[in-house]
Amino acid sequence: MSFSGNRYKLAHFSIASGLPSFSMRLLRLAKIISVAGRYGLDEMLLEHEPTGKLLALSRILFFWRRLDAPAAVRLRLALERLGPIFVKFGQMLSTRRDLLPTDIADELAKLQDQVPPFSSARALAEIEAAYGKPASEVFAEFDAVPVASASIAQVHFARLPDGRAAAVKILRPNMRSVIARDLALLQSFALLVETLWKDGKRLKPREVVTEFSKYLYDELDLMREAANCAQLRRNFEGSPLLTVPEVYWDWCTSSVMVMERMSGIPIGQTERLAEAGIDLKELSRAGVEIFFSQVFRDGFFHADMHPGNILVADSGERKGCYIALDFGIVATLTDADRNYLARNFLAFFKRDYKRVAQTHIESGWAPPGTREDEFEAAIRAVCEPIFDRPLKDIVFGKVLLRLFQTSRRFNVEIQPQLVMLQKTLLNIEGLGRQLDPDLDLWKTAQPFLERWMSEQLGWRGILKAISQEAPHWARTLPQLPRLMHQALSAPPPPDYPELLTRLIATQKRQNRLLALIAALLAALVVLFVLLP
């Protein structure tokens, strides 16, 4: 495709989606280059360039700048200056201390809850705009100095008129236009990657950006975040592993969210956790179970689990319990995705690489003509080196490289609907390394998944399916005589003999299934009678 064709597609995309125009994207790109140059990010990228010519040219172009601050500090400041999408990228990287130098990881960790806040006066103005009256008339107490500030919003402490302690989250002003510009630019890059790179279509960059953009825009509606919080709280009600704050709905709007104030130690502060007497190994195992419970049991998971969003209770009955915060990015999985992933994980845990290969081919992730035996051997080569190893002994960068090479060789397609799950897995694995480098992620997760699969496919799953279908049967059964009369009265279609043959075959299968269910129920009744 010619460049003029690409330009036409970009322009058409802008008009169709209502995103900023092509010229606006160029201006945004110019700003990104300017900020990168001002903070010396080019030197960080080009310092290992073999010839040194590009680095010399960059220094000539940006001769006016002063780079006195350490490189890690300059990187953090540049990401803060560039806006929320870049801050979120820094947050995700901050959990991967195995991939980053210590000084850079420490600086990026400040992006989790120490982004420069907007002014107290602006915060009070946002409160008044949301409620139509000043903060002094809404809350019994309101601290205008924020306790935490991140890329999308900042948090203030307050007290409700009835005396309850609350945390008030206020959306940053003008976020929608900033995010729209950056997403439009990402879409442009994605289109170029898809058009000009041979792996572009397989990696589906535009679909990935579109999926990511849905979650970002959802994050700009704090009523949606409050609903996410309430759902997660119901899912873990009574759980000894995770506490979720209560939402105070009477004080929530699309730009302000008010919830129960929580206290604890940030999960990234491992020394404080150890001093408080919290077992870090147990905490890491609980984190794995919480994650798999959200993904497989509920199909509803917190997809922004960097250390700035997680506390650990350090006192009282719930000491050592996780406390979840910030529910702007919550993702869901369909039943089909959950079952597919669970089967893949279990086959992986059992080192049944043939089943992993079959599942990929059956689901359409790998092309239909893929050689199953070759694919199996390639998966084995990636997975075997990391089995029975603690996290500290796994070089994650090498694993990613091998996975990418394998997916390219067998033309495995990216699944955009699972992008947030993959991002969350990166966060979880990074947190696990900080809490317990000796954690064996596979052995910790396997019992949970085996139990879940047993509940889904064993006799408990059958009983659950019957209880779910019973209301439908109750509605359908009384209608059967009328439906049968209508069917018998209607003239037969031209392909009646073929349809009759298929109907008889289907009925036989259903009869066998009903006989199996009846036998299982009878066996259960006998067991209940015989057991003391």
Side-chain angles (χ1 to χ4, degrees):
M1 182 181 291
S2 67
F3 178 74
S4 60
N6 291 343
R7 185 169 57 187
Y8 168 77
K9 288 176 73 175
L10 289 174
H12 175 72
F13 174 77
S14 300
I15 296 170
S17 63
L19 292 175
S21 65
F22 188 67
S23 59
M24 290 293 290
R25 299 183 203 192
L26 289 178
L27 288 174
R28 179 59 174 163
L29 178 60
K31 180 178 179 180
I32 292 172
I33 294 172
S34 173
V35 170
R38 175 181 175 183
Y39 289 98
L41 301 191
D42 53 305
E43 295 214 347
M44 296 175 65
L45 292 173
L46 299 175
E47 61 181 349
H48 299 298
E49 194 256 326
T51 65
K53 293 180 180 179
L54 292 177
L55 182 58
L57 177 62
S58 174
R59 286 174 175 171
I60 293 172
L61 291 174
F62 296 103
F63 67 92
W64 45 267
R65 66 188 176 189
R66 296 185 60 183
L67 303 178
D68 300 328
V73 174
R74 288 187 275 113
L75 175 60
R76 173 179 60 81
L77 292 174
L79 294 177
E80 288 176 355
R81 184 72 179 270
L82 289 172
I85 289 180
F86 293 87
V87 170
K88 287 192 173 296
F89 179 67
Q91 289 173 345
M92 185 180 73
L93 283 180
S94 70
T95 66
R96 303 304 320 194
R97 290 179 174 268
D98 55 315
L99 302 179
L100 298 173
T102 302
D103 59 335
I104 291 180
D106 289 340
E107 279 297 320
L108 293 183
K110 296 178 181 178
L111 297 175
Q112 294 166 6
D113 59 2
Q114 299 178 40
V115 176
F118 52 90
S119 68
S120 297
R122 190 62 186 265
L124 291 171
E126 291 295 317
I127 289 284
E128 187 163 357
Y131 297 113
K133 51 187 175 182
S136 58
E137 296 181 21
V138 178
F139 303 103
E141 299 174 12
F142 182 82
D143 188 349
V145 178
V147 294
S149 180
S151 57
I152 299 293
Q154 64 188 38
V155 178
H156 298 253
F157 282 162
R159 192 167 296 278
L160 300 180
D162 59 9
R164 286 178 291 178
V168 180
K169 185 172 185 177
I170 306 174
L171 195 68
R172 283 181 178 271
N174 305 318
M175 277 291 95
R176 186 169 291 275
S177 59
V178 174
I179 287 177
R181 286 199 301 269
D182 284 343
L183 287 175
L185 191 60
L186 283 177
Q187 280 285 9
S188 300
F189 283 144
L191 178 59
L192 290 175
V193 167
E194 189 172 309
T195 305
L196 303 177
W197 191 26
K198 65 178 182 180
D199 283 327
K201 287 185 171 58
R202 179 177 65 81
L203 297 178
K204 301 180 180 179
R206 283 190 293 166
E207 293 181 42
V208 170
V209 172
T210 299
E211 187 75 10
F212 182 56
S213 68
K214 289 191 299 185
Y215 292 104
L216 274 180
Y217 281 124
D218 287 348
E219 199 173 3
L220 299 180
D221 183 357
L222 296 189
M223 284 295 287
R224 181 184 287 269
E225 177 173 346
N228 291 339
C229 177
Q231 181 65 53
L232 196 63
R233 179 180 170 87
R234 279 195 299 275
N235 291 349
F236 282 87
E237 189 172 0
S239 169
L241 303 177
L242 179 66
T243 299
V244 180
E246 180 184 356
V247 175
Y248 298 142
W249 287 106
D250 291 342
W251 288 270
C252 289
T253 72
S254 60
S255 60
V256 178
M257 175 182 169
V258 182
M259 58 185 169
E260 179 183 1
R261 186 191 304 179
M262 311 298 288
S263 62
I265 300 174
I267 198 167
Q269 299 180 11
T270 52
E271 292 183 1
R272 284 186 61 193
L273 292 172
E275 290 171 1
I278 293 170
D279 186 340
L280 297 185
K281 292 182 181 294
E282 183 61 34
L283 193 65
S284 63
R285 288 192 290 270
V288 173
E289 183 167 347
I290 289 170
F291 170 71
F292 280 97
S293 295
Q294 291 182 65
V295 171
F296 293 107
R297 184 194 67 191
D298 306 324
F300 183 91
F301 62 95
H302 194 305
D304 199 16
M305 296 186 71
H306 62 74
N309 288 338
I310 305 171
L311 303 177
V312 179
D314 58 344
S315 61
E317 295 180 357
R318 303 190 68 81
K319 182 177 179 179
C321 180
Y322 281 80
I323 301 171
L325 304 172
D326 194 339
F327 310 91
I329 301 182
V330 171
T332 57
L333 292 174
T334 65
D335 290 343
D337 284 336
R338 279 191 286 167
N339 278 302
Y340 164 77
L341 288 168
R343 291 176 189 277
N344 251 312
F345 272 116
L346 279 177
F348 171 73
F349 292 148
K350 295 176 180 177
R351 306 193 189 192
D352 185 357
Y353 304 117
K354 182 176 182 179
R355 185 57 190 152
V356 174
Q358 288 173 340
T359 307
H360 273 72
I361 297 170
E362 289 168 1
S363 66
W365 287 24
T370 302
R371 279 275 303 271
E372 185 180 296
D373 56 336
E374 292 182 358
F375 195 21
E376 175 190 351
I379 294 171
R380 182 182 294 109
V382 173
C383 298
E384 278 297 317
I386 63 176
F387 257 118
D388 297 327
R389 287 177 176 268
L391 291 177
K392 67 180 180 182
D393 293 340
I394 298 174
V395 182
F396 196 73
K398 289 184 179 179
V399 176
L400 283 179
L401 180 60
R402 293 294 300 273
L403 283 172
F404 185 78
Q405 290 172 339
T406 301
S407 64
R408 170 190 283 177
R409 176 185 169 189
F410 292 94
N411 202 28
V412 176
E413 294 188 351
I414 292 294
Q415 301 299 310
Q417 76 275 17
L418 301 181
V419 166
M420 298 310 293
L421 177 64
Q422 292 157 355
K423 168 187 174 294
T424 307
L425 268 172
L426 287 177
N427 287 343
I428 293 293
E429 201 259 354
L431 281 174
R433 286 178 183 269
Q434 293 182 48
L435 293 173
D436 180 16
D438 293 316
L439 176 70
D440 188 328
L441 187 63
W442 327 121
K443 288 182 179 177
T444 305
Q446 183 174 352
F448 173 84
L449 272 179
E450 288 178 340
R451 187 170 67 249
W452 182 81
M453 286 296 288
S454 174
E455 291 174 353
Q456 293 297 112
L457 301 179
W459 65 268
R460 292 186 183 88
I462 293 174
L463 291 179
K464 181 180 177 182
I466 290 173
S467 65
Q468 290 176 341
E469 289 294 328
H472 176 70
W473 293 345
R475 290 193 302 271
T476 305
L477 286 174
Q479 301 175 32
L480 284 179
R482 175 172 54 83
L483 295 174
M484 290 178 63
H485 176 72
Q486 290 176 352
L488 293 172
S489 302
D495 54 349
Y496 174 72
E498 180 185 351
L499 286 175
L500 183 60
T501 302
R502 289 166 55 189
L503 180 62
I504 292 172
T506 302
Q507 187 62 47
K508 287 181 178 179
R509 288 196 298 270
Q510 290 177 346
N511 289 341
R512 287 195 294 268
L513 179 61
L514 288 173
L516 176 61
I517 293 173
L520 287 171
L521 290 175
L524 287 175
V525 171
V526 171
L527 283 175
F528 283 125
V529 170
L530 294 179
L531 288 176

